[in-house]
Amino acid sequence: DAGVIQSPRHEVTEMGQEVTLRCKPISGHDYLFWYRQTMMRGLELLIYFNNNVPIDDSGMPEDRFSAKMPNASFSTLKIQPSEPRDSAVYFCASSRWTGLGAEAFFGQGTRLTVV
Amino acid sequence: GENVEQHPSTLSVQEGDSAVIKCTYSDSASNYFPWYKQELGKRPQLIIDIRSNVGEKKDQRIAVTLNKTAKHFSLHITETQPEDSAVYFCAASIKEYGNKLVFGAGTILRVKS
């Protein structure tokens, strides 16, 4: 398996524009997570899905952020409209339920810069 | 909800010395405790994990200990090498929330040669 695949790797956009980040989890994994990483706030969990269903979106900072998982092999995180304070590295991660907690495999991340 | 605190935020050691990073968690129902290493510009990757039915686990130069009564767990790296320099994150999860991981703030480890 190629691991968790994210695209794009880098995104530079102007304030006010819509940004869509994409993620393909590892095949067979039933959990998918979106994290945001900044120097100030560390690794923040934004939202996670179980079997394509959003379970907890309490980490989504504002209504400008939305996430979908239309099927087991694809998820998107959308920011509309984007703002400079959204600049961060966004990681997608996936894992498979084993009953006792499990390793989360991270994608390479998308470095977002909003100017 | 669960809260994980991690100390210290930065740690500098001489090559060959040991390094210890400590984490505390708030929810006694937590039962899985992984440690991730993130090198500069790369993704976090699991280096070792421990489950609540075990008190200690070792893998070559790294070890993790868990004290369920005190609700804390620690990462121990012996004979540190320059390539151990990275950011280390602890995390915890609770079975009823599935595989959701709550991460600590991270520790920047610098190994000086």
Side-chain angles (χ1 to χ4, degrees):
Chain A
D1 201 312
V4 177
I5 299 172
Q6 291 186 245
S7 64
R9 291 289 309 279
H10 303 274
E11 176 83 35
V12 179
T13 191
E14 290 187 346
M15 181 174 63
Q17 296 298 306
E18 177 180 294
V19 175
T20 299
L21 311 182
R22 297 174 175 79
C23 176
K24 181 181 182 339
I26 293 173
S27 177
H29 282 191
D30 50 355
Y31 279 86
L32 184 139
F33 307 86
W34 282 102
Y35 288 92
R36 179 171 68 177
Q37 186 174 37
T38 60
M39 287 294 292
M40 293 299 294
R41 301 176 70 92
L43 265 174
E44 298 175 271
L45 177 63
L46 301 178
I47 184 172
Y48 76 100
F49 297 82
N50 178 218
N51 291 321
N52 314 337
V53 176
I55 303 299
D56 182 357
D57 65 354
S58 60
M60 297 286 259
E62 299 169 38
D63 291 345
R64 299 184 295 105
F65 286 70
S66 63
K68 293 182 180 179
M69 191 164 187
N71 57 62
S73 58
F74 183 66
S75 177
T76 59
L77 177 68
K78 187 175 292 186
I79 308 172
Q80 165 65 16
S82 58
E83 297 183 4
R85 60 195 167 117
D86 301 331
S87 298
V89 178
Y90 291 81
F91 285 103
C92 174
S94 71
S95 63
R96 186 170 63 88
W97 176 244
T98 62
L100 273 178
E103 175 182 1
F105 291 83
F106 283 78
Q108 296 270 40
T110 294
R111 181 173 296 278
L112 173 65
T113 304
V114 183
V115 298
Chain B
E2 175 67 284
N3 183 48
V4 177
E5 295 194 354
Q6 184 172 346
H7 300 279
S9 56
T10 61
L11 179 59
S12 230
V13 300
Q14 201 65 37
E15 182 178 359
D17 288 349
S18 294
V20 180
I21 303 170
K22 298 181 180 180
C23 288
T24 59
Y25 59 97
S26 59
D27 197 322
S28 57
S30 294
N31 61 351
Y32 174 65
F33 308 92
W35 286 88
Y36 286 78
K37 176 184 180 182
Q38 185 179 26
E39 296 176 352
L40 188 63
K42 299 196 174 177
R43 74 187 91 186
Q45 291 189 290
L46 181 77
I47 55 171
I48 194 167
D49 57 10
I50 192 168
R51 291 185 166 81
S52 57
N53 57 346
V54 175
E56 184 173 357
K57 185 176 178 181
K58 190 173 180 181
D59 182 5
Q60 297 182 11
R61 294 187 298 109
I62 60 173
V64 57
T65 58
L66 171 64
N67 184 326
K68 289 170 57 180
T69 304
K71 291 190 286 187
H72 69 68
F73 56 113
S74 301
L75 177 71
H76 303 252
I77 307 174
T78 59
E79 301 172 22
T80 53
Q81 301 167 3
E83 51 265 38
D84 294 328
S85 296
V87 181
Y88 291 81
F89 293 94
C90 63
S93 73
I94 304 171
K95 183 178 179 180
E96 66 176 320
Y97 297 127
N99 283 359
K100 174 184 175 181
L101 288 173
V102 177
F103 282 87
T107 296
I108 300 172
L109 173 64
R110 294 193 184 91
V111 180
K112 298 175 287 186
S113 56

